[in-house]
Amino acid sequence: MTIRLYNTAQRKKVEFAPIDPENVRMYVCGPTVYDRAHLGNARPVIVFDTLFRLLRHVYGAEHVTYVRNFTDVDDKINATALARKEAGAEGSLEELVRERSDETIGWYHADMDALGALRPTKEPRATAFIGQMVAMIEALVEKGHAYAKEGHVLFRVRSYEKYGALSGRTVDDMIAGARVEVAPFKEDPLDFVLWKPSTDDLPGWDSPWGRGRPGWHIECSAMAAELLGESFDIHGGGNDLQFPHHENEIAQSACMGHGFANVWMHNEMLQVEGKKMSKSLGNFFTVRDLLEQGVPGEVIRFVMLSTHYRKPMDWTEKKRVEAEKVLARLYAAAAGVKPSDGVDVLIIDALSDDLNTHAALQRMQQLQKKPAELRAAMELLGFGSPEEVDWWRSDLTMTSGPTALGGESLSELMNLIHPYLDHWQSLRDQKRWAEADEFRQKLNEAGLVVQATPTGPQGERSSNFDPSKLEGLL
């Protein structure tokens, strides 16, 4: 089995060769836990969950370690905690910060669980690794790659010759167009903060440079090194993190002498109805908003995976409706059967080709007549079992199969209807249009209204649906 992944650092697909096949390691930048996850936050979760599932399938679940962090050191978290304290909440500021982080992490887990995402192997909180961050900063200062001034410690960007290689930027270009913080304690405008002072009313930790807290970028470098080693296989995240966050991670870690990540993967951003999601446009919503509106998590996952991770993903109402119909049909087909021992090879081939989830979903739909193989594919792709998902039973309006009727099971009725839909599609494929139209009319008279869609023929049961009228049509 050969897995090929697009390595941002090399700007091409590469054959994935883990450092140690017995210990495949992946790090993905996780959320800053100050509020609910919006829909865009869900995309990297689903993308790298799919990669996690593929790696577990190929190398064995016990041989894959997936780390995704929680950033719980942040000004927005502090602001919320301060507001609660001013409103009379009991406890110290540190306790209120912890309470807010716990609350938000709970929300995050619930929302991502609903999308079918497996929990990563390890989910470190930044606050649990302050000691490792301080040690790394001290080492960078000793090596001359960082300097302390006015309670701050900053990284000397120009001390790392390859800075900008990941994002394809030069230092001069960055200075010309960058929006960087200009501060009197900086030697160079591009230098970034590794440590900054904390006032008495903010959370802080003791350090050689006084009471303070770490900068954002050092967190991931320290946690990745501690949990995965100085060199590991894959680092992932959204392409909005490529610069400066991932660029800074590389600089810090490389100057420590760490090999860091061999493969860098970045997913593209999400749009809503063709526009960037924003509160000002009124198209901003969280994952929880959709779930509470009755959009199943499996449908959100299906829509997300329908677009390749390196292409912009457009969430539309049309896609949601179509995904719900397709999934209802697939759940009905897979209900009541045991999954096959293996997963269809074309599914694995698609995922192994730089996570071609669009092709994998198409193949999954082609397995509708092979319910055991279909079920195995659905489980690998994170859609769960039909018995654990309830919405499709009530929402199914006979998309390529009927709702329960006359005491028969959904799977039995699906088997009844499929030959007719397949025959109609076969006539169309052979361009026997007149015969196809005549056959379609007979199906309509039996109460089975059919139509062609990009995912194959679909049908809806009308109020006068009578299965007995289908007899003799084939």
Side-chain angles (χ1 to χ4, degrees), residues 44-54 66 116-118 301 382:
V45 173
I46 293 172
V47 166
F48 292 105
D49 174 69
T50 305
L51 178 57
F52 183 37
R53 290 170 178 274
L54 174 64
Y66 172 20
L118 298 171
R301 185 181 187 93

Side-chain angles (χ1 to χ4, degrees), residues 81 83-97 99:
R84 289 184 174 184
K85 189 171 182 63
E86 291 170 358
E90 296 182 359
S92 66
L93 183 62
E94 285 79 5
E95 289 171 339
L96 293 174
V97 166
E99 180 183 287

Side-chain angles (χ1 to χ4, degrees), residues 331-343:
Y331 277 125
V337 299
K338 292 182 178 180
S340 59
D341 291 335
V343 180

Side-chain angles (χ1 to χ4, degrees), residues 334 336-343 370-380 385-387:
V337 299
K338 292 182 178 180
S340 59
D341 291 335
V343 180
K370 301 178 179 179
E373 293 182 33
L374 169 62
R375 183 154 182 163
M378 294 181 73
E379 290 185 2
L380 175 67
S385 67
E387 291 74 25

